[in-house]
Amino acid sequence: MTPSDSPESSPIRREPPSFRPVEVLRAEPLTPHLRRIVLGGDALDGLEIDEPASSVRLLLPPADGGELVLPTWTGNQFELADGTRAPIRTFTPRHLDTETHELTIDVVLHEGGAASGWAATAEPGDRAAVSGPGRGYEIDATASSYLLAGDETAIPAIAQLLEAMPEHLETHVIIEVAVPEARLELPRHPNCDVEWHTAVEAAAPGTALVDAVIAREEVPPAVWVAGEAAAVQKIRKHLFDERGMTRSAATVRGYWKLGRSAT
């Protein structure tokens, strides 16, 4: 048995991009549940995001207000000097300005989330760090039409996809929000219709989103969906088992999981 075959060993993963130190430049509420944080710094020089719906890792500062220390990649995860796992969350940035070195992220606010707590109180000058980009999404320009669906955590990615979507592509958007006041103006697209659905009271997150997708008489041949893990799993099952879609035609991503502090 080689060392790599040992059951005690952990698989070695490809090292992600290094963290770039940044600071909060601006922070403002967009809706009752969404707060925009603009990060900046010379360390963002060279960062490029070529595909829509790409992700970045955000290193949160210490909760006690201590000095921000960049973590070390151990071959499996980013760790701090004391061996603990670094407080990192993943987001789809809303915008990257390569000239001014500004990265904009929109954070959903909710109780109990580490990133949510940070975003709710973030002020200019606060320190953080970002790594990326992660995987994005390649739009199929040959598709006859598209369906983009998600909850509030997917709004930045859906906005990016709309900006990148060719004008000739008929595009349908379905978004679930916690309250009607959480609706945002999305980028304009000449062949797009948008459905906003308010979350069902006392129901599991994503219920309204799942119901809206299932209720469609027809589903476009190309689909992108993201949101709460259990909800999008139901959508995945519906698309593949009930609608007969192929795996290559539908991209379904779980952005967060109910009961787990991921944001």
Side-chain angles (χ1 to χ4, degrees):
M1 178 182 292
T2 65
S4 60
D5 295 328
S6 171
E8 290 81 14
S9 64
S10 298
I12 301 300
R13 298 163 57 192
R14 184 174 63 179
E15 182 173 358
S18 299
F19 274 91
R20 302 165 182 259
V22 294
E23 68 176 45
V24 175
L25 301 180
R26 298 181 296 281
E28 61 177 339
L30 294 181
T31 74
H33 298 101
L34 199 64
R35 188 169 175 80
R36 171 160 293 175
I37 311 294
V38 180
L39 304 168
D42 291 340
L44 292 179
D45 184 29
L47 177 64
E48 295 183 358
I49 298 178
D50 297 324
E51 292 183 324
S54 295
S55 63
V56 296
R57 289 180 172 91
L58 173 69
L59 173 67
L60 301 175
D64 60 5
E67 181 183 358
L68 180 75
V69 178
L70 299 185
T72 300
W73 179 251
T74 64
N76 186 48
Q77 64 182 17
F78 280 106
E79 294 183 0
L80 301 176
D82 61 3
T84 59
R85 188 171 185 173
I88 296 170
R89 299 295 184 267
T90 303
F91 293 93
T92 298
R94 178 62 190 88
H95 180 67
L96 171 65
D97 190 322
T98 57
E99 294 186 0
T100 62
H101 300 153
E102 294 184 359
L103 180 71
T104 300
I105 61 173
D106 297 338
V107 184
V108 175
L109 304 181
H110 62 88
E111 294 184 4
S116 175
W118 167 79
T121 59
E123 298 179 346
D126 288 354
R127 307 293 296 178
V130 295
S131 166
R135 63 173 180 167
Y137 178 76
E138 184 177 355
I139 293 173
D140 181 6
T142 66
S144 59
S145 60
Y146 252 91
L147 172 63
L148 308 176
D151 60 19
E152 286 177 82
T153 64
I155 289 178
I158 290 175
Q160 282 193 0
L161 289 165
L162 281 176
E163 289 173 338
M165 197 72 65
E167 292 189 354
H168 72 274
L169 268 181
E170 181 182 344
T171 306
H172 309 276
V173 176
I174 301 175
I175 301 177
E176 176 182 311
V177 292
V179 293
E181 295 78 16
R183 300 181 181 186
L184 284 173
E185 183 174 349
L186 297 175
R188 296 187 180 278
H189 186 281
N191 290 305
C192 176
D193 61 79
V194 181
E195 295 179 22
W196 293 94
H197 294 267
T198 303
V200 179
E201 187 175 357
T207 297
L209 179 68
V210 174
D211 291 347
V213 173
I214 292 177
R216 289 192 64 86
E217 183 174 345
E218 295 183 359
V219 173
V223 176
W224 183 96
V225 181
E228 198 280 322
V232 299
Q233 177 61 30
K234 292 178 181 178
I235 293 176
R236 177 188 288 111
K237 180 176 177 60
H238 172 73
L239 294 176
F240 295 156
D241 296 350
E242 304 299 327
R243 301 279 187 164
M245 294 194 74
T246 63
R247 296 301 194 267
S248 61
T251 295
V252 184
R253 296 177 178 174
Y255 271 6
W256 63 285
K257 188 173 184 179
L258 182 65
R260 179 179 298 175
S261 175
T263 57

